[in-house]
Amino acid sequence: MAELRTAVTGDSTVPVVVPGGDRDSRFARRLIIAGATILSVVALVAVFAPLLSPWGETEIDPANTLVAPGGNHLLGTDGNGMDIWSRMLYAARLDLGIALAAVALAVVVGTLLGLIAGYFGGWLDDVLMRVVDIFQSFPTFILALAVAALLGNGTINLIITIAAVNAPAYARLVRAEVRSLRELPFVDAAITSGASPVGVLWRHLLPNSLTPVRVIAPLNCGWAMLTLAGLSFLGLGVSIPEAEWGAMISLGAADVVGGRWWTSVPPGLALFVCVLGFSLLGEGLQDRANAKRR
Amino acid sequence: MLSIENLSVLIRRPGRQVAALSNVSFSVRPGEVVGLVGESGGGKSMVARAIVGLLPGGSHATGQVLFDGSDVLRMDDTALAAHRGRGVAICFQNPRGALSPTRTIGKQLVDRLATHQEMSGAQAREAARELFEAVGIRSPQRRLDAYAHELSGGMAQRVMISLATGCAPDLLIADEPTTGLDVTLTREILRQFRHAADTDGRGVLLISHDLASIAEVCDRVVVLYAGTVVESGPAEQVLREPAHPYTRALLRSVPDVGGRPVVATPGAMPLLTQAPENCPFVARCAHADGTCSSRRPATKPLAGGRGDWSLACFHPQTRPLDAGAPSTSPTTAEAGAEPAEADRKPAVLEIDDAHVVYRSRFGSGGHHALRGVTLRLAPGETLGVVGESGCGKSTLAKLIMGLVAPTSGTVTVAGQALVKQPGRPRPRGRALRRARTRAQLVFQDPIGSLSPRRPVGDSIAEPLRAAGLSPAERNARVAAVLDRMELDRSILQRYPHELSGGQAQRIGIARALVGEPNLIVFDEPTSALDVTVQAQILAVIADVAADADRASVFISHDLATVRGFADRVVVLYLGQIVEEGPVDVVFDNPRHPYTRALLGSAPRLGGTAGSDGEAVELVKDLEEADAATGCPLAARCPFVTDRCRAERQELQSYGESRAACWRVPELPALIGRQAVTP
Amino acid sequence: MRIFRFVVRRLLQLIPVLLGVVVLAFLLVRVLPGDPVRSILGPNASAEDAEAARVRFGLDKSLWQQFLDYLGGLVTGDFGTSIQSGNSVGSEMALRIGPTLELVVIAVTIALVVATVLGVWSARRANRLGDHSVRMFALAGNSVPEFWLGLVLVLVGYSILGWFPAPNGRVDPDTNLTPITGADLVDAVLTANGPAFASAAAYLALPVLTLVVGVVAPLLRSVRASALEVLHSESYAAAQAHGLRGRTLHYGYLMRATLVRLPSLAALVFGTAIGSTVLVEYVYSWQGFGQWALRGLLYRDYPVVQASVLVIALCYVLVFLIADVVHAILDPRVRL
Amino acid sequence: ADSGNKPKDGASGGPAAKTLRIAVSSYLSSWDQDFVGFDLTALMLYKNVFPYLIDYGVTTASGSQILDTQNVTPTFAESFQPDAEQKVWTLKLRRGVKFASGNEMKAADVKWSKDRAFAAQANVAGVYRTIGLTSADQVKVVDDYTVEFHQAFPSALTRQIQAISLYVFDSVEAKKHATASDPWAKEWFAKNPPTGGYYNVTKANQGQEIELSANTDYPGPDPAKTPTIRISVVPAASNQRLQLQAGDVDIALGISQRDIQDLKKTPGIKVISAPSNRQVAIQMSVTAAPFNDVNIRKALAYAVPYEQIISNVYGGDARAAKSTVPLDMPGHDDNGYPYAHDIDKAKAAMAAAGRSSLDSELVFESDNEEQQKIAVQVQSEAAKAGIRLKLTPLDPATLGERRTKKNIPLQITSGQLWVDDIEYMLATSFVKGANLNYSNYSNPEIEQIYEKSHTTVDTAARNALWKRVQEILAADVPWVVICQPNFNLPVRESVAGWVQPMDGLARLRYLSASA
Ligand SMILES: Nc1ncnc2c1ncn2[C@@H]1O[C@H](COP(=O)(O)OP(=O)(O)OP(=O)(O)O)[C@@H](O)[C@H]1O
Ligand SMILES: Nc1ncnc2c1ncn2[C@@H]1O[C@H](COP(=O)(O)OP(=O)(O)OP(=O)(O)O)[C@@H](O)[C@H]1O
Ligand SMILES: [Mg+2]
Ligand SMILES: [Mg+2]
């Protein structure tokens, strides 16, 4: 509700205009569009990386290590003589892939747990939630290292690690949602219409409990990418020499001090933009959801 | 004091535009109670907002809202700040939502007192206590430290009134102060406003969708339809002989305890994007002609009308609203013959001494919601269940549907137990699911009872799926039931939020009907709906309830709606049946003081019913009455004796009805005395 | 009293969780490949030497026996002996946890204050330029990897501008700070050591900034959203319509209602911040808990890993407990 | 303020600074050298705070001062001499050497220290086996200042081995803290740094900073030159560089290779360079497929891009290998070492093995940037010869375990031997079961030569043996020696007196700085 703005005129036929209205949702839409655009560009880059990059993902130009941008190498090369520009493009594949896959896995596992815990309640709920507590309170990087050490440090394991770290949040979210949905009349309506428990869960509670998940998931994707970068920095990321932004940044981070910004700034920007894309999308979705609630 | 002149509000949003108000004019004088009535979306709240200068963003307002001579729409910030609270104070539509959840209500009141009456801390607290007392809050000292969520609806409304009066305004606005409250409270709250006008000389603007309930306390009424004033005038006359077809339609939509039948008006209010060019009611009006649809009638004083009675209509009606309405409806006429016949068939529903206790999650104890209810319902019979909010009506519905298990006692639906009951077998798996479909429930919240992310077609077909029908059969049955509900097929693909309340409730009834159940329970199916839509849905329900081989239970806190089509009625109080019998017997000759109290507080249009003198006033709110050992009503009953307090009476037969009260024989005499010494 | 009962009940609920964490950590470190004793023995050690070392640390016993010994130790507050340093894990941890907690607590507190002030400010100017810029800055800050931000801040703040001390520790050794709790600011206050306080604060500035930038966005987003919700709520409109103004309106009707939902998110953010310290500590040579735990993990120092997992989990659940209590205090609707 | 008259410590100018600041990459794991603690930072500190009774001398090589591993001289000891049979070695202690507690160092301290070492069954006990010392009885106290070591057999390595093992605890102080369950005062030594060396530890904040003060009571040659040395832990190499550039540290021990190239050009900083005998190599498992085939080992040896690695990884600051034995090691011989980068020969060798391609795994240390880069370059070139390598970085614990299991097909190793001698090299790396023999290599002839070398004391005879050893190793190629990187240390220009440690453990006593 906005305040009336003064229009000091005696004429009662001149409308008094109250500012405001829907700018909220307009901005939310812009955020969503901006985020979606960024992400589509990144996705396109990921798909067409081989066409866009003059060098291979791990191709070495031995005569030209750490050369500055220009000439044969659009963004210069790193300490191994690999082309930054090409690696930066290829990295979109791994980064997007891992983030999306990890979040998807987390959503599936977390939602399932949350549904079961929230719907059946009782001891099952208690046990599941305690398990979720355990996982949630377990330090991320120890979990990551454990998974990496157990399964070797491959892409799949990174996905598992990041999913394991995120799944508890979804479990909680969905559980809370299911618990409040369970009290709503439509659930009673389904039961009295003879729906089986699985039917109620699957056809009624699941679709309705996913609303907050949809809002959180994009934000979470961005966060997953940052986690991936952090793991790379700790040497727990993707295996050398695959191209991944976080790994590129952490490899090149030390170069910045010596003035060789190109090894880490471009992948840093790429990561930043991509995470920002997810954040914008998430923020927009959240805005829209909030506006709907009001 | 308040004079609204030619006020129009257009709300502009990209992609949509609403003409919320079009050329509204009326005034409120000090000491006067003016009622503003009309259907939902008619623009009532918008008027209130314009008066306090809180129009929504994107509003374009023209015209004037003159308050003591200055135009609220054009006030600057300081003038507005002085105007709000001190000049006009508003009681919001949803009192619990309008109270800040994180501040004690005492502090909220003190804030108002400090701001507008420049009181200091201790002084303000004392004044707050007194104000609470004045609006009928018991143990006000303790309540000062309560939070909004700890209050019942009635209590919250009282607090809201005290907050508004705490600002010491010249004009008090109450936006739907009684929606959601039950009949006994409604009366009490409305009286508070009359009181404010009479003793403090404040102007009062009472907003409601329900003409009948506010009629009693208003001096004048203004009827709003689609943002236009269609009729305004002295309350008494407008209500008795409304001249505008819309006002008449509104009044006819409201059921009456006296038994006057509800007449439904088809159609719904248009959503205007511009100030109307024609009469906005034209599409629903029986008297409409070419003029009505080409021109918009000007507001003119009514020829021959007394006072400032004016209306905007080309065809003012003059006949009284319901001359010679039959006092009994056809369905109830058969009622007397039915029980004997019903006894022979196997009962559809049998409840035997059922108790329900809601256990609290931690610790012991719990809430005893039903205390020994015994019921029997035969096919074809319609049972009305009435009682105040919180008396256990919904619990009874859930008990029947097998959504709660009885703590003791038994419930049998179509010969089967739906939940685990002590010492009885119950079906499992598919058999249980089929058994469940034998009884169906129609919910109070029509939209909320539909799964939000499923097309409604899915929801309707749900019982058929449980019965294991093939998709083709399902489609046929769904199509049939849609026809009966007069709904278009295209609605099946829609989602619940795309439906109007009336449509959603038709869907709800369709879902209940589609599986041909033996029993349908209606739990306050119309209380969330708009007045004219209510009338439409009640007509549908009456039709459904009349199906010969199906039993129905109709739950309502409003006795009048029950009267229309129930054969028998039970009156529930604190989880117990206090009176029971054929509907006309109970309504025309109530035995229990509680039944009398309920009947007494039911709104009635000026003098239609004649039992006013016999009304029983209960002394306290429901929540303050704790059922101890004796009669559950003991704490609130004006006729209470020591015996009532110590011992509970069982249901006793009095003619065709039964009641549980020690003092039934003496009551008529007692009531006479109470009327003399209140 | 009700709060007390609630806390006790919640503490009891923590027992299975912590027990689960203990079991999981215990098993996890043991199924990890890698031999903890090899790294302390040096290349010339024979198999017998290795066996002797294993015996010294009780690693020759059965898994069950080791677990029972460990549990027994925990009950008496003994976290075991570090394989790497031969020191008691408890005393090493005591030195490490203080600094890290100090860092995280300060950062989260600042983030909370900033988020609250800016969030409410932003909500009041919803959809104007100021609001948009605040949100965009927060989002941008949230989209940069912490270690990268840290390195850049070091480069700019220390090397180029020279405003901040070298990233080589937590306090200038010349101030002769006597460690008591390990949290330097606290110790400086306790020992009334002014120069040490100044120095510790200067050393804290950049790491805190790094963490704050990393975590402020979700908090800000949440505060803004709930402030907006309150501003649009009927209860706020009612207070406005009744002519309440200024401080009464702001503090009585806006702030508390806005902050009600913040504690649980703050707890979550606290958890993330604890996780991020590993990186921040590395960048700022802040030999704290995260570095200690990471090193323990890399060398499979079983007792160290077990203890650090347990302590992080404990911090985490306690912070959540505190958040719930604060929430209950702020929000009268919460039933305890 | 010019103070040119004051005596200079060979530094470039200014008065001697009281404090020297050194940045290291990690905190030491423990102060107890017998039982735990086995990281380079720890070992370096031990060298400076334990009284080591004998140590290497100093010599000058190609313009810089280096430790002379051939010349082991008494420091805290008066003398250390063998009998005629070279089996009994007599150690005479210097009088007046005091621990921080004020206790004088006596023979009983040496005896207690050796008893403790044997009891620990780690570290010293392990290396003593190579010179025939296996039990505490072999160490005998003669009088308060004389101890005898009775070896089971004579050894040419005794001086070298004792140089790294003869450190002494303050046993009088230690016994005060010993308990029945902890007779060797492990708990006390885990917390309390040893005393009596060139430096005493005056402050040690867990994880952060260590302050060393010169031991002014040291009565022997070469006392510590700088009164106070502060060692701070800075894990990020780039931060070490920044601090060195800003003058906040004087010496940075953990700077990465490419930063060193930059720092050579940075004013105010000098990079001390010296050839070193640190070897970087790929050890190939000779007992597991596919590298059990000598031709495939040769293929890899030809496929490694030596020059490319030297220039890309070390910025040219490394020497190519000419033999499996390090370049400057006595007895080094580069005759007949054929391996240089040549993909055609590599393919030919593959063909000789009957393979056109194969898959394998190259393991390296996960936090080692140098090894990681080498791995990438090797992977890229080896692929050209049909050897497809999966790169597997391993953390220390996993690496340690897999090494004991001997199941790593290829691994990058790097390091320098503590003893600059081929017999020691064979003992540690090439005889069956040797600890650093990750290749699982064994060759009967090498075993024979090794046996013979124990008793061969004559230099020419030894060199003849070593020549044969190198021929055999070149033919068997258990290792691909990649290069021998030079030692580089960036310091502030004010720092002087650095002595290049051939064992990689800095002797801080020689360091000085001008203020
Ligand atoms: N904030 C808003 N933005 C846009 N349109 C609005 C807004 N508030 C109300 N309207 C529209 O203005 C019209 C009048 O609304 P108003 O709330 O005054 O109706 P009402 O008579 O009070 O109805 P109810 O009985 O449901 O409270 C409706 O058509 C509604 O949709
Ligand atoms: N799930 C529950 N747990 C605990 N108490 C409950 C529960 N449901 C209802 N109650 C309590 O039981 C009593 C009866 O509730 P019920 O909903 O049956 O009343 P009602 O007559 O339908 O009221 P209304 O007219 O407000 O719908 C109320 O006091 C209510 O607070
Ligand atoms: Mg309204
Ligand atoms: Mg109900």
Coordinates of all heavy atoms in Angstrom, one line a residue, chain B residues 17-41:
Chain B
Q17 N -6.7 -3.5 -15.7 CA -7.2 -2.2 -15.1 C -8.6 -2.5 -14.5 O -9.4 -3.3 -15.0 CB -7.4 -1.3 -16.3 CG -8.0 0.0 -16.0 CD -7.9 1.0 -17.1 OE1 -6.8 1.0 -17.8 NE2 -8.9 1.8 -17.4
V18 N -8.8 -2.0 -13.3 CA -10.0 -2.2 -12.6 C -10.7 -0.9 -12.2 O -10.1 -0.1 -11.6 CB -9.8 -3.0 -11.3 CG1 -11.1 -3.3 -10.6 CG2 -9.1 -4.3 -11.6
A19 N -11.9 -0.8 -12.6 CA -12.7 0.4 -12.2 C -13.3 0.0 -10.8 O -14.4 -0.5 -10.8 CB -13.7 0.8 -13.2
A20 N -12.6 0.2 -9.8 CA -13.0 -0.3 -8.5 C -14.2 0.6 -8.0 O -15.1 0.0 -7.4 CB -11.9 -0.2 -7.5
L21 N -14.2 1.9 -8.2 CA -15.3 2.7 -7.8 C -15.7 3.6 -8.9 O -14.8 4.1 -9.6 CB -14.9 3.5 -6.5 CG -14.6 2.8 -5.2 CD1 -14.2 3.7 -4.2 CD2 -15.9 2.0 -4.8
S22 N -17.0 3.9 -9.1 CA -17.4 4.8 -10.1 C -18.4 5.7 -9.6 O -19.5 5.3 -9.2 CB -18.0 4.1 -11.3 OG -17.2 2.9 -11.7
N23 N -18.1 7.0 -9.5 CA -19.0 8.0 -9.1 C -19.8 7.7 -7.8 O -21.0 7.7 -7.8 CB -20.0 8.3 -10.2 CG -19.3 8.6 -11.5 OD1 -19.1 7.6 -12.3 ND2 -18.9 9.8 -11.7
V24 N -19.1 7.4 -6.8 CA -19.7 7.1 -5.5 C -19.9 8.3 -4.7 O -19.0 9.2 -4.6 CB -18.8 6.1 -4.7 CG1 -19.3 5.9 -3.3 CG2 -18.8 4.7 -5.4
S25 N -21.1 8.5 -4.2 CA -21.3 9.7 -3.3 C -22.2 9.2 -2.1 O -23.2 8.5 -2.3 CB -22.1 10.8 -4.1 OG -21.4 11.2 -5.2
F26 N -21.8 9.6 -0.9 CA -22.7 9.4 0.2 C -22.1 10.2 1.4 O -21.0 10.7 1.3 CB -23.0 7.9 0.5 CG -21.8 7.2 1.1 CD1 -21.5 7.1 2.4 CD2 -20.9 6.5 0.2 CE1 -20.5 6.4 2.9 CE2 -19.8 5.8 0.7 CZ -19.6 5.8 2.1
S27 N -22.7 10.2 2.5 CA -22.2 11.0 3.6 C -22.5 10.3 4.9 O -23.4 9.5 5.0 CB -22.7 12.4 3.6 OG -24.1 12.4 3.8
V28 N -21.7 10.6 5.9 CA -21.9 10.0 7.2 C -21.9 11.2 8.2 O -21.0 12.1 8.2 CB -20.8 9.1 7.7 CG1 -21.1 8.5 9.0 CG2 -20.7 7.9 6.6
R29 N -23.0 11.3 9.1 CA -23.0 12.4 10.0 C -22.6 11.8 11.4 O -22.7 10.6 11.7 CB -24.5 12.9 10.1 CG -24.8 13.8 8.9 CD -26.2 14.3 9.0 NE -27.2 13.2 8.7 CZ -27.6 12.9 7.5 NH1 -27.1 13.5 6.4 NH2 -28.5 12.0 7.3
P30 N -22.2 12.7 12.3 CA -21.9 12.3 13.7 C -23.0 11.6 14.3 O -24.2 12.0 14.1 CB -21.6 13.6 14.4 CG -21.2 14.6 13.3 CD -22.0 14.2 12.1
G31 N -22.7 10.6 15.1 CA -23.8 9.9 15.8 C -24.6 8.9 14.9 O -25.6 8.3 15.4
E32 N -24.2 8.8 13.7 CA -25.0 8.0 12.7 C -24.3 6.8 12.4 O -23.1 6.8 12.2 CB -25.2 8.9 11.5 CG -26.2 8.2 10.5 CD -26.3 9.1 9.2 OE1 -25.3 9.6 8.8 OE2 -27.4 9.2 8.7
V33 N -25.0 5.7 12.3 CA -24.4 4.4 11.8 C -24.9 4.2 10.4 O -26.1 4.1 10.1 CB -24.8 3.2 12.7 CG1 -24.1 2.0 12.2 CG2 -24.4 3.5 14.1
V34 N -23.9 4.2 9.5 CA -24.3 3.9 8.1 C -23.7 2.6 7.6 O -22.6 2.3 7.9 CB -23.6 5.1 7.2 CG1 -23.9 4.7 5.7 CG2 -24.2 6.4 7.5
G35 N -24.6 1.8 7.0 CA -24.1 0.5 6.6 C -23.8 0.6 5.1 O -24.5 1.2 4.3
L36 N -22.6 0.0 4.7 CA -22.2 -0.1 3.3 C -22.3 -1.6 3.0 O -21.5 -2.4 3.5 CB -20.8 0.5 3.2 CG -20.2 0.8 1.8 CD1 -21.1 1.7 1.1 CD2 -18.8 1.3 2.0
V37 N -23.2 -1.9 2.1 CA -23.3 -3.4 1.8 C -23.1 -3.6 0.3 O -23.2 -2.7 -0.5 CB -24.7 -3.9 2.2 CG1 -24.8 -3.9 3.7 CG2 -25.8 -3.1 1.6
G38 N -22.9 -4.9 0.0 CA -22.7 -5.3 -1.4 C -21.9 -6.5 -1.4 O -21.3 -7.0 -0.4
E39 N -21.9 -7.1 -2.6 CA -21.1 -8.4 -2.8 C -19.6 -8.1 -2.7 O -19.2 -7.0 -2.9 CB -21.5 -9.0 -4.1 CG -22.5 -10.0 -4.1 CD -23.0 -10.4 -5.4 OE1 -23.7 -9.6 -6.0 OE2 -22.6 -11.5 -5.9
S40 N -18.9 -9.2 -2.6 CA -17.5 -9.2 -2.6 C -17.0 -8.5 -4.0 O -17.6 -8.9 -5.0 CB -16.9 -10.6 -2.5 OG -15.6 -10.5 -2.6
G41 N -16.1 -7.7 -3.9 CA -15.6 -7.0 -5.1 C -16.4 -5.8 -5.5 O -16.1 -5.2 -6.5

